[in-house]
Amino acid sequence: MTSQPYRLAEGGVIDRTRPLTFSFNGRRLTGYSGDTLASALLANGVHLVGRSFKYHRPRGILTAGTEEPNALVQLEAGNRSIPNLRATRIELYNGLSAASVNCWPGVRFDAGALIDAVHRLVPAGFYYKTFMWPQGGWHVYERLIRRMAGMGRAPEGADPDRYERTNAHCDVLIIGAGPAGLAAAVTAGRSGASVILADERGQPGGSLPDVASDGDVTGTSWLGDTIAELQSMTNVRMFTRTTVTGYFDHNFLIAVERVTDHLGPGAPAHLPRQRLWRIRTSRVVLATGALERPLVFANNDRPGVMLAGSARAYVNRFAVLPGRRAVVVTNNDSAYEAALDLHRNGVEIAAVADLRAVPVGPAAEAAAAAGLNILRGHAVVDTNGRRRVQAVHVAGIGLDGSLTGPVRALHCDLVLMSGGWSPAVHLFSQSGGKLRYDEMLGAFLPDGSRQHVLCAGAMNGVAETASCIVQGQDAGKGDVPAASEPTASTVDAHWPIPARNRSGEVRQFVDFQNDVTAADISLAVSEGYQSVEHLKRYTTLGMGTDQGKTGNVPGIAILAGSLGVPLPAVGTTTFRPPYDPVTFGAIAGRDVGPLADPVRQTPMHAWHAETGAVFEDVGQWKRPFYYPLASETKHDAVARECMAVRRAAGIMDATTLGKIVLSGPDAVRFLNRVYTNAWGGLEVGRCRYGLMLGEDGMVLDDGVTARLAEDRFLMTTTTGNASRVLAWLEEWLQTEWPELDVYLTSVTEQFATVALAGPKARAILTGLTSDIDVSAEAFPFMSWRGGHVAGFPARVFRISYSGELAYEISVPARHGLELWAVLLRSGPDYAVTPFGTEAMHVLRAEKGYLMVGQETDGTVTPIDLGMQWILSTKKDFIGRRSLARSAMLDPLRKRLVGLRTEDPELVLPEGAQILPTAPSGPPETMIGHVTSSYWSGALRRSIALALVKGGRDRESATVHVPLEGRTARAEICDPRFYDPEGLRLHG
Amino acid sequence: MLLISCPWCGQRDESEFTCGGEAHILRPADPDALSDPEWADYLFMRTNPKGRHRERWCHTHGCGRWFNMERDTATHDIVSVYRMGEAPPDDRDGNSS
């Protein structure tokens, strides 16, 4: 076990009484409770953490927080593994195991780093130009590039952890529990408002512990007192480890709470790993702080180069020295505070290179007083060191931004850089907020939103803790913070810092995660990419998992410089959710596995499942597709089921068909408007087939409707369209025809329905009912009778989709399974065979019956289907006018036909294209496609339905169907293949 | 996500609703009296303003009722919500927009 050579003996908010062990790349190390993985690695002197995305350059820890672009690790292994987590955000727990990503065989020697040597071959947009030959070669290159790029590995098994989704409502949502957010929360809380205070860290306090080793920069017990008061308020909820990632309309926000991530695999089983909060609030106070920016100089990406404020956080919060001898480079005053804190704790400050000719600010003065070596008007222009920075080169920088004087080398193991601070305006911008550019701060600040949102503290450009607290108090009251004059130190922006040589070898990184350099941006501009949005997509600037939190403003500045326009003229790219990566687990919550989508089962489902039915999903329903016996194939089972229906009798579970009761005195008028045919003459006790069109004339749905009483009808719909049809009818009733007195009630699940079909159906039914006369004369085709079947109250409809003598028997749902069993028991005499949906499809196709969704696709009219007979000419109905549009009358529209293949054994694939002549090479003339295609046992040959231009006008013509490797010939025919006269069904 | 005030149920999340497009488009009483272009205009053509827009919404996963809503398409501000058959509030005040 290694000691922690870079850990200070005292200070920080870590708990030295609780040491933790962990492993990194297989090496066992120790840290303390309160550490992040990053701080524990630094305490052990580990700076080399990973390899960069594109060039595989060694990378270290740049920041101490959410904005980290470099220090990405794969956390844990197996099913719980998560790739690309930021070491700066992982709270250390005992036994933690992490590894570097994007390197092979290891992070110290990575074969992929060869890319860096040939980086000139892979400039910005390289995948658009470098790999473009030979034609088609991209498909080969892409696979190789994908293997080289990308970062961690996705876990291979199912996620064993549990996630939750929860709603919350409040008056005030305060985001960020730094000084401003805490002040806002306590002020709002005292007013009695219901308050949620959300913060991504493990403890409230924001950056206070980063900037003062006692955790309270106010020098009083303000922080502790405020937290205690908030905890005593029952109207205030404090969410820690909770990152608000999305700000949507009407003050709806999404937050992710990492409930047990910080406990690791040993977390209590009753807690979810993460919880997604959906929060609706009247007001929002954003106190999201500010993020420090890097400076853009040559080789600014070496491990050991760190943001100044982050180094300060490591010293103060974690009592870790990130190095022994540091060079500071800054364009503003804030880095001096870091320099002083490190200096006080024993880090040698070799020099502070200040880009400003005249360093101003209280910290700069304090640093001078402390005797630090301040180099005015100087910059770091390059660095050395392979896996850790070893030296920097500094040079003077003139007022015009060019280098002056000699370049000097300074040895160091740490570089602190500060390019000023960018207010974390991400959520504000997502709210619809506008930004304004502040020249003094070199930063975009919030400037008014259309939503009820106030900003307070550092995100307004305010630096002093006391001012942040005052702003928070104002915002907590609901007032726009008064002292919104920015007080953060002014910056003297130099983006990029000139290099000492101007060759193409200069690597000044802007976006560390995506390896975008200043030269890449200039190249993109010279190639014509002038819009910041285009630049982003071409160079991938800001497109990593960190979304460019550190590098975006420097990137925009370099773009503006290349274009020769002021920075605000370039603007920012759009800030979109999520602010921070969200796991799929948190998004899915408990909607996984069988709960991902509701499953609907009929009352007979248990029997189907026990019998070994193969199920088909129709909408959310599970329908038996076919019932294979012992070793039967699908083909055999379907053929057997079809023959049973044609020769004896079969039963099918038809429960899933949609059933809607229409009641009211205007029911007939309504039916006349929504169906194409007329309904007035339908007597009670009779049924009629109806076709429903959209107002555009296209077939929407079909089904049989029965007249139950003078003012009551029972409509059936297709299984998949049941809710759509109900919504469609409701819409017309409520919005267009409110004067019609009709009520619609869905009764799909109230009844179980069994279709009994086959020549022996009547004989079977006769044996099961004593109060229904099932004789052909008393119970004709297209009528229904009420009574009892097998002792259950039942409605029996004599309708047929198979073309056989058939009945559909509906009983209250609770009797469905028993009815099914009774019908099967009539088997020994009549050989009742259960059949599934595939047999039904075959049987109806043999009859040339339409199946909605198979023969129709939203572009097919009743005329196309040869169903003019169902279009009433005596009334208006939805879609009628559209059928008279000139284009609908085009004789070359695709129309329904039958197809007989020349080879009777060949079952054409559904969707196959149809050509009028043998294929002669592209482009072919395509005149239609196959919509349904089956083996017909009854006809001992294949059959197909198709939509073909000209339709039946081409009857007897031979058409050609190109298949893989060959072309089939088929003859166009009448789609009614079986019993075209309908003798069987009327029997 | 919008917070929509259903005239029957009160404030509910947008996810409970479906939008039915532009409101106040009446089905022609006599479709045959319309030319093809006029019928196509009724069938397909809708305004797509940036700003105030009157739309039909349905509280699908709630009471199932259709209603009208005037919404600013740029800011998502909901100006008014009114029942089917009612005149838009602006028109009632005589400030027809």
Side-chain angles (χ1 to χ4, degrees):
Chain A
M1 216 176 278
T2 326
S3 67
Q4 300 174 41
Y6 290 85
R7 182 80 70 180
L8 294 169
E10 51 192 45
V13 294
I14 48 159
D15 183 354
R16 288 181 178 75
T17 67
R18 292 183 56 207
L20 304 171
T21 62
F22 68 102
S23 79
F24 181 69
N25 289 333
R27 194 176 148 203
R28 274 170 67 82
L29 299 166
T30 61
Y32 290 117
S33 175
D35 262 327
T36 61
L37 176 59
S39 69
L41 287 172
L42 291 176
N44 289 283
V46 177
H47 275 256
L48 175 60
V49 175
R51 291 277 175 165
S52 71
F53 182 66
K54 185 166 152 189
Y55 301 124
H56 292 249
R57 284 170 67 98
R59 288 287 164 82
I61 296 164
L62 182 72
T63 74
T66 295
E67 68 272 32
E68 177 62 37
N70 277 346
L72 303 182
V73 300
Q74 182 99 23
L75 182 66
E76 305 296 346
N79 293 359
R80 281 200 168 83
S81 180
I82 303 185
N84 307 335
L85 288 181
R86 289 148 292 181
T88 53
R89 266 276 293 270
I90 299 170
E91 292 183 57
L92 200 64
Y93 52 81
N94 209 32
L96 179 148
S97 163
S100 300
V101 299
N102 207 30
C103 53
W104 182 86
V107 69
R108 290 187 61 79
F109 176 77
D110 172 19
L114 290 171
I115 289 278
D116 196 36
V118 293
H119 69 266
R120 272 201 271 189
L121 296 180
V122 285
F126 71 95
Y127 27 63
Y128 302 121
K129 43 198 179 194
T130 311
F131 297 96
M132 285 299 118
W133 57 269
Q135 199 181 7
W138 172 248
H139 299 291
V140 178
Y141 299 130
E142 188 187 17
R143 241 178 299 154
L144 299 172
I145 293 168
R146 293 246 178 264
R147 197 175 305 160
M148 287 296 292
M151 299 194 159
R153 306 214 167 273
E156 282 171 12
D159 189 338
D161 289 313
R162 196 158 47 79
Y163 300 81
E164 276 179 3
R165 220 164 37 208
T166 310
N167 294 298
H169 299 82
C170 58
D171 297 324
V172 192
L173 170 65
I174 295 155
I175 303 164
L182 287 168
V186 84
T187 308
R190 283 176 191 158
S191 76
S194 74
V195 175
I196 293 176
L197 174 62
D199 190 273
E200 63 181 3
R201 301 201 196 203
Q203 299 81 29
S207 61
L208 286 179
D210 297 350
V211 298
S213 57
D214 63 356
D216 198 343
V217 75
T218 60
T220 65
S221 56
W222 181 85
L223 177 59
D225 292 350
T226 304
I227 293 171
E229 183 174 353
L230 287 170
Q231 283 168 340
S232 73
M233 292 178 176
T234 53
N235 55 326
V236 175
R237 283 182 279 177
M238 290 210 279
F239 294 170
T240 53
R241 300 187 176 93
T242 303
T243 308
V244 179
T245 63
Y247 193 145
F248 304 91
D249 287 304
H250 293 194
N251 272 348
F252 181 79
L253 296 94
I254 296 283
V256 178
E257 181 184 6
R258 293 174 297 281
V259 182
T260 60
D261 277 0
H262 64 292
L263 301 174
H270 71 282
L271 290 173
R273 180 166 187 164
Q274 297 181 352
R275 189 179 281 139
L276 188 88
W277 287 92
R278 301 149 42 96
I279 305 170
R280 181 80 72 174
T281 179
S282 306
R283 294 194 282 128
V284 172
V285 174
L286 292 175
T288 48
L291 303 172
E292 198 169 20
R293 305 180 298 226
L295 286 167
V296 182
F297 51 87
N299 297 310
N300 57 345
D301 65 325
R302 297 195 197 283
V305 180
M306 189 177 274
L307 294 178
S310 301
R312 195 180 178 203
Y314 285 115
V315 171
N316 290 322
R317 178 185 284 262
F318 301 107
V320 168
L321 296 182
R324 303 282 186 209
R325 182 180 155 92
V327 171
V328 182
V329 55
T330 183
N331 66 5
N332 69 93
D333 193 49
S334 72
Y336 287 93
E337 296 173 333
L340 284 165
D341 282 356
L342 266 67
H343 178 64
R344 259 195 296 276
N345 283 287
V347 177
E348 184 188 347
I349 305 296
V352 181
D354 194 324
L355 288 148
R356 301 173 297 175
V358 185
V360 288
E365 285 162 24
L372 297 193
N373 174 25
I374 298 173
L375 306 172
R376 307 166 155 222
H378 271 68
V380 169
V381 295
D382 203 351
T383 69
N384 291 124
R386 279 193 63 199
R387 296 184 187 116
R388 174 86 185 262
V389 65
Q390 288 172 342
V392 299
H393 301 269
V394 296
I397 190 160
L399 290 172
D400 62 349
S402 62
L403 297 187
T404 60
V407 175
R408 282 186 291 152
L410 293 170
H411 286 276
C412 62
D413 63 356
L414 179 66
V415 177
L416 307 189
M417 58 178 171
S418 178
W421 296 74
S422 291
V425 294
H426 309 70
L427 291 172
F428 175 78
S429 192
Q430 287 178 28
S431 82
K434 299 232 179 316
L435 304 178
R436 66 182 169 84
Y437 185 72
D438 186 286
E439 206 67 52
M440 297 281 280
L441 299 177
F444 290 95
L445 299 182
D447 190 27
S449 172
R450 56 182 156 81
Q451 302 211 42
H452 295 294
V453 53
L454 295 171
C455 300
M459 75 167 301
N460 277 338
V462 176
E464 288 80 18
T465 302
S467 306
C468 288
I469 291 173
V470 172
Q471 285 222 335
Q473 288 165 342
D474 288 344
K477 273 181 235 159
D479 299 335
V480 178
S484 57
E485 193 59 37
T487 57
S489 59
T490 57
V491 306
D492 191 355
H494 285 269
W495 277 304
I497 292 170
R500 50 187 172 139
N501 56 41
R502 293 192 172 275
S503 79
E505 296 298 323
V506 178
R507 322 292 294 284
Q508 302 153 303
F509 285 91
V510 180
D511 182 322
F512 290 76
Q513 188 172 111
N514 277 353
D515 277 345
V516 179
T517 66
D520 288 328
I521 297 174
S522 304
L523 177 69
V525 168
S526 71
E527 291 179 357
Y529 294 88
Q530 306 203 338
S531 150
V532 66
E533 297 283 5
H534 292 159
L535 177 84
K536 169 181 169 176
R537 285 151 184 83
Y538 190 60
T539 62
T540 71
L541 173 72
M543 288 176 68
T545 57
D546 63 327
Q547 291 283 290
K549 290 185 178 67
T550 51
N552 269 359
V553 170
I556 291 165
I558 293 167
L559 172 62
S562 299
L563 291 170
V565 300
L567 192 149
V570 171
T572 65
T573 53
T574 307
F575 292 90
R576 291 191 183 87
Y579 169 71
D580 194 43
V582 181
T583 60
F584 284 116
I587 294 169
R590 302 237 181 150
D591 297 345
V592 293
L595 300 180
D597 194 37
V599 172
R600 302 175 78 183
Q601 299 176 349
T602 73
M604 294 80 114
H605 184 85
W607 188 91
H608 304 321
E610 277 167 30
T611 311
V614 175
F615 287 97
E616 178 190 25
D617 289 335
V618 185
Q620 290 166 333
W621 288 103
K622 294 279 175 204
R623 297 198 71 180
F625 197 26
Y626 55 95
Y627 301 85
L629 298 178
S631 59
E632 267 184 338
T633 62
K634 175 190 170 193
H635 178 271
D636 294 343
V638 171
R640 174 180 53 76
E641 292 171 14
C642 288
M643 289 316 289
V645 174
R646 292 278 181 240
R647 286 182 182 161
I651 54 172
M652 188 192 70
D653 184 349
T655 304
T656 60
L657 289 179
K659 301 185 254 310
I660 301 168
V661 171
L662 299 84
S663 52
D666 292 322
V668 168
R669 291 179 66 195
F670 183 58
L671 284 171
N672 276 336
R673 294 183 191 184
V674 300
Y675 274 136
T676 62
N677 46 352
W679 292 79
L682 187 70
E683 293 162 21
V684 175
R686 300 288 297 186
C687 312
R688 187 164 287 170
Y689 174 79
L691 198 59
M692 210 175 267
L693 310 185
E695 189 71 294
D696 58 2
M698 304 303 163
V699 172
L700 190 74
D701 202 58
D702 69 349
V704 169
T705 295
R707 192 163 201 168
L708 301 180
E710 205 51 40
D711 60 351
R712 272 168 76 80
F713 291 81
L714 177 66
M715 173 188 284
T716 58
T717 73
T718 58
T719 298
N721 272 344
S723 60
R724 204 170 308 157
V725 169
L726 181 66
W728 170 252
L729 300 179
E730 274 290 345
E731 181 179 345
W732 284 96
L733 269 183
Q734 289 186 33
T735 65
E736 202 70 39
W737 304 316
E739 74 281 4
L740 291 187
D741 192 356
V742 182
Y743 296 89
L744 308 179
T745 311
S746 167
V747 295
T748 304
E749 285 171 340
Q750 273 59 45
F751 296 97
T753 304
V754 181
L756 169 65
K760 295 184 176 172
R762 180 178 290 124
I764 292 168
L765 189 56
T766 307
L768 293 175
T769 181
S770 54
D771 53 359
I772 301 175
D773 181 351
V774 296
S775 66
E777 304 71 39
F779 195 170
F781 182 58
M782 294 310 272
S783 60
W784 74 274
R785 297 291 179 264
H788 289 78
V789 174
F792 307 121
R795 284 191 191 121
V796 182
F797 304 83
R798 192 178 158 194
I799 53 181
S800 176
Y801 195 38
S802 58
E804 296 297 328
L805 170 66
Y807 302 89
E808 285 190 7
I809 306 161
S810 279
V811 296
R814 63 183 181 281
H815 301 308
L817 186 57
E818 288 172 87
L819 174 68
W820 184 264
V822 169
L823 284 164
L824 281 174
R825 278 203 298 273
S826 56
D829 294 342
Y830 300 108
V832 171
T833 303
F835 67 101
T837 50
E838 184 66 354
M840 174 189 80
H841 296 159
V842 175
L843 296 167
R844 65 90 203 173
E846 287 173 343
K847 289 288 293 177
Y849 289 156
L850 138 85
M851 186 158 97
V852 169
Q854 189 98 17
E855 272 65 56
T856 69
D857 59 3
T859 68
V860 178
T861 71
I863 302 167
D864 299 338
L865 297 169
M867 296 175 76
Q868 288 91 335
W869 55 269
I870 204 170
L871 305 176
S872 168
T873 53
K874 300 197 173 76
K875 56 150 194 166
D876 191 24
F877 55 83
I878 295 170
R880 188 187 58 88
R881 174 65 184 82
S882 290
L883 295 178
R885 283 182 295 165
S886 50
M888 296 299 110
L889 307 172
D890 182 348
L892 281 183
R893 279 185 64 81
K894 286 186 184 180
R895 303 218 155 128
L896 185 70
V897 297
L899 279 186
R900 269 182 225 274
T901 47
E902 202 174 73
D903 170 7
E905 301 289 324
L906 175 68
V907 179
L908 294 170
E910 288 172 358
Q913 291 294 322
I914 295 168
L915 314 183
T917 53
S920 55
E924 302 287 358
T925 307
M926 295 181 285
I927 56 168
H929 63 276
V930 176
T931 58
S932 294
S933 179
Y934 307 96
W935 171 256
S936 165
L939 298 162
R940 292 203 175 83
R941 59 157 300 124
S942 72
I943 56 166
L945 300 175
L947 288 166
V948 173
K949 283 181 182 172
R952 300 281 294 278
D953 295 348
R954 292 182 189 262
E955 198 152 318
S956 305
T958 299
V959 292
H960 302 258
V961 182
L963 305 172
E964 238 172 299
R966 64 194 174 122
T967 300
R969 289 154 59 89
E971 184 194 340
I972 292 190
C973 63
D974 187 331
R976 293 167 298 174
F977 295 95
Y978 184 78
D979 185 27
E981 297 80 25
L983 300 176
R984 302 177 70 87
L985 123 159
H986 286 100
Chain B
M1 182 159 55
L2 306 184
L3 187 62
I4 297 173
S5 195
C6 168
W8 308 89
C9 306
Q11 290 195 325
R12 301 297 178 93
D13 276 347
E14 182 185 346
S15 55
E16 294 185 16
F17 298 84
T18 41
C19 180
E22 190 171 0
H24 305 296
I25 293 172
L26 278 182
R27 187 171 196 267
D30 180 8
D32 293 327
L34 272 59
S35 66
D36 275 7
E38 285 168 339
W39 180 253
D41 190 54
Y42 155 70
L43 208 50
F44 301 118
M45 297 306 179
R46 298 293 182 267
T47 61
N48 183 22
K50 181 179 182 182
R52 287 190 172 197
H53 191 220
R54 289 167 184 164
E55 298 166 336
R56 304 175 317 143
W57 285 73
C58 181
H59 193 187
T60 316
H61 303 290
C63 63
R65 300 295 290 177
W66 283 88
F67 58 92
N68 292 315
M69 181 163 107
E70 184 165 359
R71 182 177 68 96
D72 190 308
T73 57
T75 64
H76 296 297
D77 280 342
I78 295 174
V79 182
S80 61
V81 166
Y82 50 102
R83 296 179 185 186
M84 277 294 148
E86 290 180 353
D90 276 2
D91 289 358
R92 272 179 265 160
D93 304 341
N95 320 318
S96 175
S97 54

